[in-house]
């Protein structure tokens, strides 16, 4: 992820986590999901007719799953690298941003100027980016040692 993508992931974190929570509830509570067929039904040809509504729904679900996986990766990235934030005030700012508060509300909540919150957010994003770069470097070194 680059710096701009990290900014966007922090801004979008709140709705992304809600999507994942909703998906998890759907998976846990739903017992009437699509179930793979066994036996002779599994050998029958799959529908290729574009006008088949069931086939269209399967395509939609597959696309939704791909998007959900992208969201999951971004959320896990932020969760993994947010541990590198050591400054208490920066941790609080990050938590408020991850809760979905806009910068202006974070500034009001912490009795700070908007520009002060923006500067600290930039510091947070840079620390996450440096953590990511260090992780990538460690992975490359691990691979090269094999």
């Amino acid at each position: 992820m680059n710096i701009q993508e990290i900014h966007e992931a922090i801004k979008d974190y709140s709705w992304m986590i809600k999507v994942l929570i909703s998906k998890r509830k759907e998976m846990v509570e739903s017992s009437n999901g699509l179930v793979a067929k066994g036996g002779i039904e599994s050998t029958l040809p799959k529908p290729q007719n574009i006008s088949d509504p069931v086939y269209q729904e399967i395509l939609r679900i597959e696309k939704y799953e791909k998007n959900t996986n992208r969201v999951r990766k971004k959320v896990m990235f932020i969760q993994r690298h947010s541990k590198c934030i050591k400054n208490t005030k920066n941790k609080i700012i990050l938590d408020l941003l991850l809760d979905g508060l806009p910068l202006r509300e974070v500034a009001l909540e912490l009795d700070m100027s908007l520009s002060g919150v923006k500067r600290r957010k930039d510091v947070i994003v840079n620390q996450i980016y440096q953590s990511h770069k260090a992780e990538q470097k460690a992975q490359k070194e691990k691979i090269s040692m094999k």
Side-chain angles (χ1 to χ4, degrees), residues 34-131:
L34 297 174
V35 178
K37 301 282 185 198
I40 189 107
E41 290 179 12
S42 64
T43 62
L44 295 174
K46 307 296 182 268
Q48 298 299 320
N49 186 351
I50 307 265
S51 64
D52 181 7
V54 174
Y55 179 69
Q56 290 299 318
E57 181 63 9
I58 290 170
L59 290 178
R60 187 192 67 78
I61 290 170
E62 286 174 355
K63 186 175 180 182
Y64 179 75
E65 287 298 321
K66 287 179 188 174
N67 290 333
T68 303
N69 285 334
R70 282 189 214 120
V71 166
R72 184 177 290 112
K73 286 178 184 176
K74 287 180 182 181
V75 166
M76 290 175 66
F77 175 89
I78 294 298
Q79 290 173 344
R80 185 171 62 250
H81 292 288
S82 65
K83 293 176 178 81
C84 74
I85 309 302
K86 302 299 180 198
N87 180 286
T88 304
K89 197 163 198 172
N90 288 351
K91 283 182 184 181
I92 292 169
I93 289 170
L94 178 60
D95 285 339
L96 292 172
L97 292 172
L98 296 180
D99 287 342
L101 266 66
L103 291 172
R104 195 171 304 279
E105 287 185 36
V106 172
L108 288 172
E109 177 85 20
L110 300 178
D111 196 28
M112 293 176 64
S113 68
L114 181 59
S115 61
V117 173
K118 285 180 181 178
R119 278 193 305 275
R120 283 186 177 262
K121 183 184 179 200
D122 289 340
V123 168
I124 291 166
V125 169
N126 284 325
Q127 288 177 344
I128 290 173
Y129 181 72
Q130 293 306 319
S131 173

Side-chain angles (χ1 to χ4, degrees), residues 130-143:
Q130 293 306 319
S131 173
H132 171 56
K133 286 296 178 192
E135 180 184 70
Q136 284 182 325
K137 183 179 178 184
Q139 287 175 348
K140 286 179 183 177
E141 289 174 358
K142 186 176 179 181
I143 291 171

